[in-house]
Amino acid sequence: GAGVSQSPSNKVTEKGKDVELRCDPISGHTALYWYRQSLGQGLEFLIYFQGNSAPDKSGLPSDRFSAERTGGSVSTLTIQRTQQEDSAVYLCASSFSRDGYTFGSGTRLTVV
Amino acid sequence: AQTVTQSQPEMSVQEAETVTLSCTYDTSESDYYLFWYKQPPSRQMILVIRQEAYKQQNATENRFSVNFQKAAKSFSLKISDSQLGDAAMYFCALNSWGKLQFGAGTQVVVTP
């Protein structure tokens, strides 16, 4: 596609449920990033993929968070047993090289 | 480890005036990229300007320019002839290899 697509754009879930957030990067972009942005805060790095492998998972906050990428394309971020502190906007970005990153519009997750 | 510091939580500027946003960073790499991103209330991250570390010439994009001081590890953004549409959160970001690291952001308020 022309841009980075994230779905859903908004998600409300009950505490304790699992959620899956999807990122569809720009075709041909080899690198894919996930970030979390809490209300009024900066971007917190979660995980980075180069192709299908994740050289840097250092930002995942706990073992409830996991991510995968298949076919060097779509990525899914899964949060198990959601907690209220997981409420945030989750942003995805993709890039072909280090000099340019394109972001999606994000998924706003609300845990009630 | 990479760090990016934005010490100004908010800056206010009148229309048609100039505002400068500060950013300092730290990295052990010699080859890296620096970016300024704009995030309006729509939450879409928009690339404003980028700078390659090995280029001494400061980048310019229309009304936006940077002052890149490599030795001081400083990367400030100047917005000239400010417009109402420039109102947004501005993030400074650093990429060497892999992770794109963001500062905490500076909220720019433009007054008529």
Side-chain angles (χ1 to χ4, degrees), chain A residues 8-10 33 35 37 40-43 45 48 56 58 89 91 93 98-108, chain B residues 31-33 35 37 39 41-45 47 50 52 89 91 95-105:
Chain A
S9 56
N10 289 284
Y33 300 78
Y35 289 86
Q37 187 176 28
Q41 302 297 310
L43 278 73
F45 170 80
Y48 148 63
D56 192 342
S58 62
V89 173
L91 289 165
R98 289 185 299 138
D99 65 348
Y101 300 81
T102 304
F103 282 81
S105 297
T107 294
R108 181 179 298 280
Chain B
D31 181 22
Y32 52 88
Y33 284 83
F35 306 87
Y37 277 89
Q39 188 181 43
S42 68
R43 79 182 183 227
Q44 181 69 50
M45 294 286 283
L47 177 64
R50 78 181 121 224
E52 299 170 81
M89 182 72 86
F91 292 98
N95 177 273
S96 55
W97 289 104
K99 185 166 58 180
L100 183 61
Q101 184 78 33
F102 285 86

Side-chain angles (χ1 to χ4, degrees), chain A residues 2 7 10 13 22 26 30 34 36-37 54 59-60 78 86 93 95 100:
Chain A
S7 61
N10 289 284
T13 190
R22 176 187 169 106
I26 291 174
T30 53
W34 283 99
R36 180 168 70 175
Q37 187 176 28
L60 293 177
T78 301
D86 300 334
S95 71

Side-chain angles (χ1 to χ4, degrees), chain A residues 43-62:
Chain A
L43 278 73
E44 175 189 4
F45 170 80
L46 297 178
I47 188 170
Y48 148 63
F49 287 93
Q50 184 63 43
N52 289 336
S53 54
D56 192 342
K57 304 179 183 180
S58 62
L60 293 177
S62 73

Side-chain angles (χ1 to χ4, degrees), chain B:
Chain B
Q2 304 178 150
T3 60
V4 179
T5 303
Q6 293 180 251
S7 58
Q8 304 155 315
E10 183 173 303
M11 295 288 283
S12 186
V13 61
Q14 284 192 317
E15 262 188 302
E17 297 297 309
T18 296
V19 64
T20 299
L21 311 184
S22 65
C23 173
T24 58
Y25 62 93
D26 193 22
T27 179
S28 58
E29 303 292 333
S30 58
D31 181 22
Y32 52 88
Y33 284 83
L34 292 158
F35 306 87
W36 279 97
Y37 277 89
K38 169 185 177 181
Q39 188 181 43
S42 68
R43 79 182 183 227
Q44 181 69 50
M45 294 286 283
I46 302 164
L47 177 64
V48 174
I49 199 165
R50 78 181 121 224
Q51 175 81 42
E52 299 170 81
Y54 67 86
K55 287 190 175 179
Q56 293 186 336
Q57 186 174 5
N58 289 323
T60 300
E61 289 286 342
N62 300 314
R63 298 181 295 106
F64 299 88
S65 61
V66 297
N67 183 4
F68 174 47
Q69 301 290 325
K70 190 171 183 178
K73 294 183 178 176
S74 170
F75 183 61
S76 62
L77 174 71
K78 184 169 78 172
I79 307 174
S80 303
D81 186 24
S82 296
Q83 301 175 359
L84 293 176
D86 295 333
M89 182 72 86
Y90 286 78
F91 292 98
C92 178
L94 162 70
N95 177 273
S96 55
W97 289 104
K99 185 166 58 180
L100 183 61
Q101 184 78 33
F102 285 86
T106 297
Q107 182 72 47
V108 171
V109 177
V110 182
T111 55

